[in-house]
C-alpha cells in the first residue's frame, strides 16, 4: 500500500515538474499581465506605508522587501 | 501620403493620415519588437500620499510621502522618495497595571507622570519628527540581466539609519521567469534623550527621598550610559518571479537578515512584583545584541475580468524564537473604466520572544535578557480596509483608503500572581488608518 502511494506521489511530482516547464505565456499574451495594477510593486506608496506601520507595531518585518535597518519608531 | 475614405452609410469622409507609420507600428506590434531604437525619455511619474494613523488613547502619527520615478531611456530608471512623519502620544511602557496609582520618571529623567489605579501604564512623552530619503537606480546590464542600486536614510531626533543596497535580476524563458538576488547593509545609531539605561537598572523615582536636585540627578545618572550605541544589519534576499499563465503570476522570496548591536528599547521597563502581584520596583529591559531572521514570502496576483486579486503569505522565524504567519489580501474590483474599490484584509500571528516576560517576580534569579514590550509577546492582529480609486480625464489618479487595525496580545503561559489576576495585562490596541493619495 505504502509502495503504491510512493509511486503515485512520484508520478504526481514528475507530472507537476513537466508542467512547470510549460509555465508562462508568449509575448503577445501579455495583455493582462502588462496592466499597471498587475505589477508586483503597484501601489508602492501604500505598501511602503504599511511596511512602516507593521514594522513599528509587530516583531516581524521584511519578506516582500529587505527587513533590516529602518527607524527607531515606537 | 494621405488617404480619404468615404463611409457609404453616413456619407461622411474621414482622413487616415500617415498610413506608413500606422502600418509600421502595427507590424512591430505583431512581431513584438520596438520600432527603431530611440531612447525616448519618459516623463516624471509622481506619487504622493498623506496618511493618518491613530490609536485609541495612544500614538497618533501623520505621514506624508512624495515619490518620483523617471525612465531616462532604455529602462534606465531613477526613483526617489521623501517621507516626513510626526509622532505624538503615548506608548505602553512595559510596566503592569496596579490596583493603586503609580508614579513613573520620564525616560529623560526630567519630570514624572502618574498612572491611575487599574490603568495601563502608558508613557505619554513621545513626540518625534522623522525624515526619510531614498534613491534607487535600475538599468539593464547584459544578457537579460538588470542591476539596481540604492541608498536609504532615516533620521529622527534620537535615531539615524543609513543603508545601501544592490541587486541583480535575470530573465529566463521569454521573460516568464525572473531570478533575483539582493544585498542590503544598514547602519543604525541611537542616542536617546537622557542616555541609554544600564541593563536591569532600577528606575529612579523622586518621592522626596533625595536631599536636593543634585542628589536625584546623581542617582539618575548612575542608571545611564551617556555615549551613543549602534546596530548593523546585513540583509540578503533571493527571489523568483514566475508567470504562470495569461492571468497569473507568482513571486517567491527567501530573506535572511542578521543584525548585531543595540536591539534594546531604551524606553521600556519591567515591573518587579511580589507574590501578591504588587509592584516593588521597575527595572529597565535588556535584549540580546544579535538577531538572525529568516523569512519565506509567497505572493500571487491574478487578473480577473474586471479587477485583480492579490494574495500573499509570509512565514518568518528567528533565533529569538519569534515565529510569525502573515496573510495579506487585496481584491480590486473595477467599477467603471476609471474607478475601482479594493477591500483589504490582513491577518498576523506571532509567538513570543524567548526572553519576553510580562513582569519579573521578586526573589527569582534575574534572567540574562528580559523585555515586557508587548510587541515581542504573543499576539494576533488583523486589518480590515477599503480603498476607492478614481482616474481623472487627465490621467491623474486620486485614491482614498480607510482601514481598521487591531492587535490582540495573548498570555504566552505566564501565571499572574495575586492582584494581577484581576487586571488587564494584555490590552488590545485599536487603530484607524486613513490615507489620501494623488498620482500625476
Amino acid at each position: 500500500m505504502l509502495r503504491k502511494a510512493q509511486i503515485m506521489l512520484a508520478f504526481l511530482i514528475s507530472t507537476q515538474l513537466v508542467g512547470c516547464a510549460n509555465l508562462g505565456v508568449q509575448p503577445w499574451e501579455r495583455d493582462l499581465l502588462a496592466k499597471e495594477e498587475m505589477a508586483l510593486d503597484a501601489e508602492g506608496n501604500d505598501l511602503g506605508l504599511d511596511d512602516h506601520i507593521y514594522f513599528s507595531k509587530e516583531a516581524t518585518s521584511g519578506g516582500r522587501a529587505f527587513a533590516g535597518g529602518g527607524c527607531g519608531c515606537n | 501620403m494621405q488617404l480619404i475614405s468615404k463611409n457609404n452609410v453616413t456619407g461622411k469622409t474621414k482622413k487616415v493620415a500617415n498610413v506608413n507609420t500606422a502600418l509600421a507600428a502595427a507590424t512591430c506590434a505583431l512581431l513584438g519588437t520596438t520600432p527603431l531604437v530611440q531612447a525616448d525619455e519618459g516623463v516624471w511619474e509622481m506619487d504622493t500620499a498623506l496618511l493618518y494613523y491613530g490609536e485609541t488613547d495612544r500614538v497618533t502619527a501623520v505621514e506624508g510621502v512624495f515619490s518620483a520615478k523617471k525612465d531616462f531611456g532604455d529602462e534606465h530608471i531613477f526613483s526617489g522618495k521623501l517621507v516626513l512623519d510626526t509622532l505624538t502620544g503615548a506608548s505602553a511602557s512595559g510596566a503592569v497595571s496596579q490596583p493603586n496609582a503609580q508614579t513613573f520618571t520620564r525616560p529623560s529623567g526630567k519630570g514624572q507622570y502618574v498612572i491611575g489605579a487599574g490603568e495601563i501604564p502608558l508613557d505619554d512623552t513621545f513626540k518625534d519628527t522623522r525624515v526619510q530619503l531614498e534613491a534607487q537606480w535600475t538599468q539593464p546590464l547584459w544578457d537579460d540581466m538588470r542591476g539596481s542600486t540604492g541608498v536609504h536614510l532615516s533620521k529622527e531626533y534620537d535615531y539615524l539609519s543609513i543603508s545601501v543596497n544592490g541587486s541583480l535580476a535575470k530573465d529566463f524563458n521569454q521573460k516568464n521567469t525572473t531570478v533575483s538576488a539582493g544585498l542590503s547593509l544598514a547602519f543604525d545609531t541611537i542616542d536617546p534623550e537622557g542616555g541609554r539605561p544600564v541593563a536591569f537598572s532600577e528606575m529612579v523615582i523622586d518621592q522626596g527621598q533625595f536631599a536636593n536636585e543634585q542628589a536625584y540627578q546623581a542617582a539618575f545618572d548612575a542608571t545611564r550610559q551617556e555615549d551613543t550605541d549602534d546596530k548593523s544589519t546585513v540583509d540578503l534576499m533571493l527571489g523568483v518571479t514566475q508567470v504562470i499563465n495569461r492571468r497569473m503570476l507568482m513571486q517567491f522570496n527567501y530573506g535572511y537578515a542578521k543584525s548585531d548591536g543595540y536591539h534594546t528599547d531604551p524606553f521600556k521597563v519591567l515591573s518587579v512584583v511580589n507574590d501578591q502581584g504588587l509592584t516593588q520596583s521597575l527595572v529597565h529591559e535588556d535584549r540580546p545584541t544579535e538577531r538572525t531572521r529568516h523569512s519565506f514570502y509567497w505572493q500571487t496576483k491574478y487578473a480577473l475580468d474586471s479587477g485583480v486579486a492579490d494574495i500573499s503569505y509570509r512565514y518568518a522565524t528567528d533565533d529569538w524564537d519569534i515565529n510569525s504567519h502573515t496573510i495579506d489580501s487585496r481584491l480590486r474590483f473595477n467599477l467603471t473604466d476609471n474607478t475601482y474599490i479594493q477591500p483589504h484584509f490582513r491577518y498576523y500571528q506571532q509567538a513570543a520572544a524567548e526572553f519576553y516576560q510580562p513582569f519579573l517576580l521578586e526573589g527569582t534569579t534575574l534572567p540574562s535578557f528580559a523585555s515586557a514590550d508587548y510587541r515581542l509577546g504573543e499576539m494576533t492582529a488583523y486589518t480590515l480596509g477599503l480603498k476607492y480609486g478614481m482616474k481623472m480625464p487627465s490621467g491623474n489618479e486620486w485614491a482614498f483608503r480607510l482601514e481598521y487595525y487591531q492587535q490582540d496580545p495573548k498570555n504566552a503561559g505566564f501565571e499572574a500572581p495575586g492582584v494581577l489576576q484581576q487586571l488587564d495585562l494584555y490590552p488590545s490596541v485599536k487603530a484607524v488608518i486613513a490615507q489620501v493619495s494623488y498620482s500625476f
Side-chain angles (χ1 to χ4, degrees):
Chain A
M1 187 62 198
L2 188 67
R3 175 119 187 104
K4 258 189 185 173
Q6 281 175 334
I7 292 170
M8 188 67 92
L9 188 68
F11 175 74
L12 276 175
I13 290 172
S14 59
T15 51
Q16 291 305 304
L17 284 176
V18 170
C20 278
N22 294 325
L23 288 178
V25 295
Q26 297 298 325
W28 56 85
E29 294 175 314
R30 286 183 174 265
D31 53 336
L32 297 173
L33 298 170
K35 283 186 174 182
E36 229 173 78
E37 57 265 33
M38 278 297 283
L40 288 167
D41 59 351
E43 303 176 282
N45 277 351
D46 289 20
L47 297 175
L49 287 164
D50 281 0
D51 283 350
H52 183 208
I53 291 172
Y54 301 128
F55 167 89
S56 309
K57 308 305 297 182
E58 298 169 355
T60 304
S61 60
R64 188 183 60 79
F66 294 119
C71 58
C73 312
N74 277 281
Chain B
M1 186 169 98
Q2 181 170 289
L3 294 181
I4 298 175
S5 67
K6 191 168 184 176
N7 186 314
N8 290 332
V9 181
T10 60
K12 287 180 183 167
T13 57
K14 70 176 178 188
K15 292 176 183 176
V16 181
N18 272 333
V19 171
N20 276 345
T21 315
L23 282 175
T27 312
C28 289
L30 277 174
L31 294 173
T33 57
T34 41
L36 247 176
V37 185
Q38 191 182 341
D40 270 346
E41 278 195 18
V43 291
W44 281 102
E45 292 169 32
M46 313 286 191
D47 287 310
T48 58
L50 188 66
L51 176 116
Y52 165 85
Y53 172 89
E55 293 173 357
T56 314
D57 302 328
R58 297 197 190 188
V59 164
T60 298
V62 175
E63 189 159 349
V65 187
F66 178 82
S67 57
K69 187 176 171 183
K70 182 173 175 169
D71 187 341
F72 284 87
D74 291 334
E75 295 179 356
H76 288 64
I77 300 165
F78 170 81
S79 61
K81 191 188 253 191
L82 168 70
V83 182
L84 288 168
D85 61 49
T86 62
L87 185 83
T88 50
S91 186
S93 69
V96 290
S97 302
Q98 288 287 280
N100 51 292
Q102 302 183 78
T103 302
F104 298 89
T105 300
R106 296 194 187 281
S108 62
K110 298 178 180 70
Q112 298 178 333
Y113 60 96
V114 178
I115 298 295
E119 285 179 20
I120 300 146
L122 300 175
D123 177 358
D124 63 357
T125 320
F126 290 94
K127 194 176 173 71
D128 213 341
T129 304
R130 187 178 74 98
V131 60
Q132 178 188 326
L133 283 168
E134 283 176 27
Q136 193 80 23
W137 179 261
T138 307
Q139 69 166 72
L141 295 173
W142 62 86
D143 287 348
D144 291 328
M145 182 89 95
R146 281 186 308 284
S148 187
T149 183
V151 291
H152 166 107
L153 182 145
S154 170
K155 173 75 185 127
E156 54 208 281
Y157 179 65
D158 59 1
Y159 202 96
L160 170 70
S161 176
I162 302 169
S163 72
V164 291
N165 70 74
S167 62
L168 290 170
K170 185 170 169 57
D171 298 324
F172 297 94
N173 181 24
Q174 289 188 310
K175 295 195 174 182
N176 283 302
T177 308
T178 304
V179 177
S180 63
L183 180 73
S184 159
L185 304 171
F187 187 74
D188 296 10
T189 313
I190 185 165
D191 185 15
E193 176 88 16
R196 289 173 297 113
V198 172
F200 297 119
S201 61
E202 197 172 314
M203 181 187 279
V204 177
I205 304 166
D206 187 354
Q207 287 167 322
Q209 75 273 41
F210 296 105
N212 52 37
E213 178 64 24
Q214 282 78 13
Y216 161 76
Q217 195 60 45
F220 178 82
D221 289 347
T223 68
R224 302 286 147 160
Q225 311 169 72
E226 280 303 321
D227 53 333
T228 63
D229 210 333
D230 51 55
K231 178 175 78 174
S232 56
T233 310
V234 178
D235 256 288
L236 181 70
M237 185 154 280
L238 303 172
V240 179
T241 307
Q242 175 67 49
V243 172
I244 306 296
N245 57 37
R246 195 174 147 253
R247 288 181 182 272
M248 195 194 293
L249 75 159
M250 280 189 191
Q251 183 179 35
F252 302 92
N253 285 344
Y254 163 70
Y256 168 88
K258 186 171 191 333
S259 45
D260 277 287
Y262 190 75
H263 290 77
T264 300
D265 188 326
F267 309 118
K268 299 286 185 251
V269 296
L270 293 112
S271 302
V272 180
V273 300
N274 64 13
D275 56 6
Q276 299 302 307
L278 296 169
T279 298
Q280 303 302 299
S281 62
L282 296 150
V283 296
H284 295 99
E285 69 153 52
D286 190 36
R287 303 181 189 187
T289 52
E290 284 187 3
R291 187 178 180 191
T292 305
R293 292 176 275 175
H294 304 269
S295 69
F296 303 87
Y297 176 80
W298 164 82
Q299 182 184 11
T300 292
K301 290 196 101 164
Y302 186 86
L304 304 160
D305 282 337
S306 84
V308 174
D310 180 346
I311 296 167
S312 68
Y313 166 74
R314 175 185 66 180
Y315 171 70
T317 182
D318 65 26
D319 62 354
W320 287 4
D321 281 357
I322 301 173
N323 300 326
S324 73
H325 302 272
T326 313
I327 295 169
D328 206 333
S329 67
R330 289 175 167 83
L331 210 53
R332 170 177 166 138
F333 296 104
N334 295 333
L335 299 172
T336 65
D337 285 348
N338 301 314
T339 57
Y340 66 89
I341 54 163
Q342 182 170 280
H344 177 210
F345 173 71
R346 179 182 186 273
Y347 180 78
Y348 175 78
Q349 183 202 331
Q350 80 179 31
E354 59 177 349
F355 56 87
Y356 169 80
Q357 285 188 247
F359 49 82
L360 292 172
L361 270 175
E362 190 186 38
T364 54
T365 316
L366 210 56
S368 307
F369 303 105
S371 171
D373 186 347
Y374 81 92
R375 295 171 300 180
L376 298 178
E378 186 176 327
M379 75 155 97
T380 59
Y382 68 88
T383 309
L384 277 175
L386 191 68
K387 184 178 177 182
Y388 173 77
M390 55 183 186
K391 199 162 241 177
M392 314 304 286
S394 59
N396 300 346
E397 187 178 318
W398 282 100
F400 306 89
R401 179 160 78 121
L402 189 64
E403 305 202 321
Y404 175 76
Y405 175 53
Q406 181 167 326
Q407 293 183 303
D408 296 310
K410 311 262 184 242
N411 182 353
F414 296 95
E415 213 168 294
V419 296
L420 292 185
Q421 288 170 15
Q422 274 75 54
L423 296 162
D424 188 3
L425 301 183
Y426 308 99
S428 294
V429 179
K430 297 163 183 174
V432 168
I433 300 164
Q435 185 188 328
V436 179
S437 310
Y438 184 62
S439 305
F440 56 99

